[in-house]
Amino acid sequence: MSVSPLPSQRSDDALDPTAMRQPLPDAWYCVAESRALKRNGLTAVALNGEQLVLGRGADGAPFALRDRCPHRGMALSKGPFDGDTLMCPFHGWRFGTDGRCRAVPTLSTHDAADFSRIAVQRFPVRESAGFVWVNPSLQEGGPVPAIPALDFEPAGSLVVALEVEASFDLTTLSLVDPGHVAFVHDSWWFRPSKELREKVKTFQPVEHGFVMTSHATTKSSPVYRLLGGVPEVEIEFRLPGVRLERIVAGAKRVANYTFATPLTANRTLLTNALYWSMPALNLLKPVARPLMRQFLTQDQQVLQHAQAGLDRKPTMVLLGDGDLPSQWYFRLKREALESARAGRPFANPLERRELRWRS
Ligand code: FES
Ligand SMILES: [Fe+2]
């Protein structure tokens, strides 16, 4: 994809342009809800064109393996798992949760074939904020963007995930795009006024991203007003495709986290997780779920139509302050790729600045 105009963009020769079109290879991606991973059960997920099988070992720790038996390619997620080994349902080869082949039951005791060196690829896996995170990179890279975490104990949470038929980049841009909100998310409960108003917000660089800090006004969304008082809102974007909205009103805390996960080159998973510290809000869950789904579906629909346009002509025109965060996304991604290739630490290329737009 080419993007223009980008006055601050450095020349493309330093970097393979196809690398810029792909999701960051060495980063943590949200692949499943923690509660979806049960002991003795297996979960199949897609990540960046790869198929993975997820599960929990006897100690409860999650594992992530390539969902492909080395023998003849069978999906290991289709076979049984006894909490210790996965059995391929095709010819019964067994694999430990570390990926190593443990048994080939069809071998005769007279057969000298050695299976001890056969292994399924194992991927690094972590758990945080109620989700399972996998890094699809096979090379041991340098420091990568931190996995999102919660800084309070939630009384409840609500998760909605949708698959979007759009590239990872296009979907991720929607997380940093203030311009689409007034047009795409115009539901009464989110944006009661139809008027476009001038916005001035200060942005500053943070580790692997940028953050916008502000005090919500009385004119803000009813969602904010629900908290009472004048809540303080902080919205962070962080590579590879993470938006962290943190709302503080006195002792009350709400976090609205959104994660983009590349499934294939043209399918992206959009996961939205809302967490709150007030037990009373648990009662609103049945009301909030369809609203959150509606909000995410608005993004899904517009992104799919935009992707169809980009498929016909893969260029964008990024214009004005409102599109600067989108340009910043590409600059951060470029720096992540360049610093990894040069084997040097990531140096955030952004500076603190005020942005003005109407929304
Ligand atoms: S394909 Fe897995 S054991 Fe043959
Ligand atoms: Fe959106």
Side-chain angles (χ1 to χ4, degrees):
M1 171 158 335
S2 59
V3 177
S4 64
L6 266 188
S8 53
Q9 196 173 24
R10 279 161 285 166
S11 113
D12 264 320
D13 356 308
L15 202 68
D16 173 7
T18 57
M20 261 309 270
R21 265 181 249 126
Q22 279 151 21
L24 279 184
D26 189 8
W28 296 99
Y29 293 100
C30 166
V31 291
E33 276 190 79
S34 277
R35 62 190 183 123
L37 263 60
K38 307 264 193 299
R39 300 219 187 165
N40 298 348
L42 296 172
T43 304
V45 297
L47 178 61
N48 211 14
E50 189 62 78
Q51 291 295 321
L52 308 183
V53 52
L54 311 174
R56 287 190 190 282
D59 58 354
F63 62 86
L65 303 174
R66 179 173 281 152
D67 195 8
R68 184 187 177 283
C69 178
H71 184 219
R72 223 160 284 178
M74 181 64 198
L76 294 171
S77 58
K78 300 288 183 202
F81 173 55
D82 60 9
D84 182 45
T85 55
L86 297 88
M87 192 189 81
C88 178
F90 204 166
H91 311 93
W93 290 22
R94 287 182 166 275
F95 300 89
T97 58
D98 59 357
R100 304 209 71 83
C101 186
R102 295 269 191 80
V104 174
T106 50
L107 282 183
S108 148
T109 46
H110 299 285
D111 197 329
D114 172 21
F115 58 79
S116 67
R117 297 255 272 270
I118 297 173
V120 183
Q121 179 64 49
R122 184 172 211 249
F123 294 90
V125 57
R126 301 270 186 280
E127 282 186 284
S128 181
F131 290 93
V132 180
W133 302 80
V134 170
N135 184 337
S137 168
L138 297 181
Q139 285 105 300
E140 200 54 43
V144 296
I147 299 174
L150 270 184
D151 54 2
F152 65 94
E153 192 54 53
S157 67
L158 180 56
V159 175
V160 171
L162 277 187
E163 274 186 43
V164 185
E165 280 175 46
S167 72
F168 178 77
D169 275 351
L170 182 63
T171 307
T172 300
L173 288 187
S174 75
L175 307 184
V176 297
D177 172 23
H180 83 287
V181 176
F183 298 92
V184 175
H185 304 297
D186 59 352
S187 314
W188 61 267
W189 55 271
F190 184 71
R191 214 178 164 279
S193 158
K194 298 280 163 229
E195 267 165 64
L196 291 184
R197 279 197 303 269
E198 186 89 7
K199 301 276 164 64
V200 187
K201 298 274 156 76
T202 303
F203 289 76
Q204 56 187 50
V206 293
E207 191 72 30
H208 293 104
F210 52 88
V211 70
M212 183 194 94
T213 317
S214 73
H215 294 277
T217 66
T218 44
K219 289 182 202 138
S220 296
S221 153
V223 178
Y224 286 170
R225 269 187 281 149
L226 206 62
L227 293 175
V230 182
E232 228 173 285
V233 186
E234 180 187 84
I235 302 177
E236 176 185 346
F237 174 79
R238 187 190 297 174
L239 288 175
V242 167
R243 181 185 186 272
L244 308 172
E245 180 173 1
R246 305 181 188 96
I247 305 160
V248 178
K252 297 176 192 158
R253 306 290 300 273
V254 172
N256 186 42
Y257 286 4
T258 315
F259 317 122
T261 306
L263 302 177
T264 62
N266 47 24
R267 288 188 81 79
T268 305
L269 184 71
L270 207 46
T271 304
N272 200 93
L274 187 68
Y275 314 84
W276 52 86
S277 66
M278 309 79 91
L281 284 192
N282 291 344
L283 297 170
L284 288 179
K285 247 172 116 158
V287 185
R289 186 181 294 278
L291 297 185
M292 193 195 275
R293 181 161 286 279
Q294 181 190 51
F295 189 91
L296 232 53
T297 304
Q298 290 166 341
D299 282 316
Q300 179 200 45
Q301 296 305 308
V302 79
L303 287 168
Q304 292 185 170
H305 288 299
Q307 184 64 59
L310 289 172
D311 287 346
R312 296 194 298 276
K313 187 169 190 279
T315 59
M316 297 181 196
V317 175
L318 299 181
L319 188 71
D321 275 13
D323 272 341
L324 263 184
S326 296
Q327 299 203 20
W328 293 345
Y329 165 66
F330 287 114
R331 288 181 65 187
L332 290 164
K333 184 175 173 182
R334 173 173 300 271
E335 168 58 16
L337 289 166
E338 284 181 351
S339 59
R341 206 184 45 152
R344 61 169 173 78
F346 176 94
N348 194 319
L350 308 181
E351 280 165 12
R352 178 189 171 92
R353 67 168 285 182
E354 213 168 65
L355 298 187
R356 290 169 183 270
W357 69 87
R358 290 169 67 79
S359 71

